[in-house]
Amino acid sequence: MVEKKLLSVLFGTLFLGTSILNGCSSKAVSSTNSSTGIIEVGISQLVEHPALDATRKGFLEGLSSKGFKDGEKIKVEYQNAQGDIPTTQTIANNFVSGKKDLILAIATPAAQAAYNSTKDIPILITAVTDPVKSGLVKSLDKPGTNVTGTSDALPMDKQFSLIKELIPNCKKVGILYNTSEANSEIQVSKAKDQASKTGLQLVTVGVTSSNDISQALTSLLPKIDVLYTPTDNLIASSMALISSKCIENKIPIIGSEKAHVDAGALATEGIDYYKLGFQTGIIAADVLSGKKPQDISVQTLKETKLVINEDTANKLNITIPNNLKSRAELVVGGGK
């Protein structure tokens, strides 16, 4: 009888211990490197260009501001796909097999690759235009998946208003975009709506690699009055070439973010990608502290900033209205 009681107590203890462990595994981050206690974070970035680099920097500083500093509480592994979408899948698979505790995916293709690889490891996304249409979350308010983070959804109405203010005689707006990026297709669709609302005609040309850009511009520029550059990663990486050819042909560019203007676009009314990344880092800290991604809303930045390139305006003989100049950040350089 005593032996039976002892066995009963033993099995009860084992059951309780197992229940506790199972309860722990339901947290957003369930494990760390067992030998060091360090949380392992993998960062997958589609390509290097100023906006995405600023986002990554902001993310790390956002995490650090909440006590998760690289080399102390966390260990960060950064991988860049160099613009090759299949490579984003390889990176994601490696992060999953390496049992990362959290993945940051920068740009839509990197985010989709990460989500294809795991439905368990928490994924933070940033610089993703439309997480719902990209199949990453069920809704922005309540993701319902292992994905959350931030979207760089554009204030496209402000950007098309800027076209009307700076180039009042504009009738045709061109868009050059990468047909391989889902986020770019989404932006082209939204641009068509904005063009219709503002009485402008949209002329679109798709490319698949940087090698196509020069020829595409040669075909496109004679047909348009203004070029609009979306937050397309291939286009962002080629802005030096694009702005140079546009200035040469006296075609102003309205960009979708500040880095485009720094590279020679005329102007933009866009978001700050460093701030977007910082906000993503704050959300990541919440996940690392135990919150579940599926319950954290995907956030956007409401604040925008007008940026104008004075050098480009002078080269194009465009006079900047005082009401715009007084509230703008003025930059110089870029283009030729």
Side-chain angles (χ1 to χ4, degrees), residues 163-317:
I163 292 173
K164 298 289 282 186
E165 286 190 78
L166 287 173
I167 310 100
N169 295 324
C170 174
K171 292 181 174 61
K172 294 183 179 181
V173 177
I175 294 187
L176 190 65
Y177 71 102
N178 182 3
T179 57
S180 299
E181 289 192 38
N183 58 301
S184 300
E185 297 277 4
I186 291 166
Q187 289 176 79
V188 168
S189 177
K190 291 181 178 179
K192 288 178 181 177
D193 291 340
Q194 284 300 320
S196 177
K197 290 175 183 177
T198 50
L200 296 169
Q201 182 181 341
L202 206 65
V203 183
T204 64
V205 174
V207 295
T208 57
S209 76
S210 57
N211 296 327
D212 301 333
I213 289 175
S214 182
Q215 185 175 349
L217 286 170
T218 299
S219 170
L220 178 62
L221 295 183
K223 303 174 184 176
I224 62 174
D225 304 306
V226 173
L227 181 70
Y228 175 71
T229 50
T231 55
D232 178 302
N233 296 289
L234 175 61
I235 301 307
S237 301
S238 306
M239 277 304 299
L241 168 64
I242 294 169
S243 62
S244 177
K245 284 188 74 73
C246 283
I247 290 171
E248 180 184 331
N249 287 273
K250 301 299 181 184
I251 299 294
I253 301 171
I254 298 299
S256 53
E257 49 105 357
K258 182 179 182 292
H260 294 185
V261 182
D262 290 335
L266 174 62
T268 188
E269 176 109 15
I271 63 172
D272 185 322
Y273 274 78
Y274 171 83
K275 290 182 180 179
L276 190 73
F278 192 93
Q279 186 62 33
T280 313
I282 299 297
I283 299 169
D286 287 340
V287 172
L288 293 177
S289 298
K291 291 186 179 179
K292 296 181 179 180
Q294 58 262 40
D295 298 327
I296 302 175
S297 63
V298 177
Q299 299 177 21
T300 58
L301 290 183
K302 302 300 182 186
E303 178 187 352
T304 60
K305 189 171 190 178
L306 174 63
V307 185
I308 297 172
N309 191 315
E310 287 191 295
D311 279 356
T312 299
N314 291 333
K315 289 171 184 175
L316 296 174
N317 296 316

Side-chain angles (χ1 to χ4, degrees), residues 45-240:
Q45 183 171 317
L46 175 63
V47 66
E48 289 180 349
H49 63 68
L52 300 191
D53 293 344
T55 303
R56 185 180 76 252
K57 180 181 178 182
F59 173 79
L60 292 173
E61 294 189 8
L63 270 177
S64 182
S65 74
K66 291 295 186 178
F68 294 96
K69 188 175 182 180
D70 187 18
E72 295 179 5
K73 276 193 174 184
I74 63 172
K75 178 183 178 182
V76 175
E77 180 181 349
Y78 166 60
Q79 295 288 330
N80 191 297
Q82 302 299 333
D84 184 59
I85 292 176
T87 300
T88 63
Q89 194 61 62
T90 302
I91 293 170
N93 292 342
N94 288 340
F95 283 166
V96 173
S97 62
K99 298 182 179 179
K100 298 298 183 190
D101 296 299
L102 182 143
I103 296 171
L104 169 69
I106 305 176
T108 301
Q112 290 173 320
Y115 188 55
N116 286 340
S117 294
T118 179
K119 302 296 186 288
D120 298 315
I121 297 173
I123 299 170
L124 270 292
I125 60 170
T126 190
V128 172
T129 301
D130 193 326
V132 177
K133 288 186 178 179
S134 299
L136 300 168
V137 299
K138 295 177 181 178
S139 74
L140 297 182
D141 289 337
K142 199 168 181 63
T145 67
N146 61 319
V147 177
T148 190
T150 59
S151 164
D152 63 349
L154 295 175
M156 203 172 283
D157 55 337
K158 293 183 179 181
Q159 292 167 350
F160 271 71
S161 293
L162 196 57
I163 292 173
K164 298 289 282 186
E165 286 190 78
L166 287 173
I167 310 100
N169 295 324
C170 174
K171 292 181 174 61
K172 294 183 179 181
V173 177
I175 294 187
L176 190 65
Y177 71 102
N178 182 3
T179 57
S180 299
E181 289 192 38
N183 58 301
S184 300
E185 297 277 4
I186 291 166
Q187 289 176 79
V188 168
S189 177
K190 291 181 178 179
K192 288 178 181 177
D193 291 340
Q194 284 300 320
S196 177
K197 290 175 183 177
T198 50
L200 296 169
Q201 182 181 341
L202 206 65
V203 183
T204 64
V205 174
V207 295
T208 57
S209 76
S210 57
N211 296 327
D212 301 333
I213 289 175
S214 182
Q215 185 175 349
L217 286 170
T218 299
S219 170
L220 178 62
L221 295 183
K223 303 174 184 176
I224 62 174
D225 304 306
V226 173
L227 181 70
Y228 175 71
T229 50
T231 55
D232 178 302
N233 296 289
L234 175 61
I235 301 307
S237 301
S238 306
M239 277 304 299

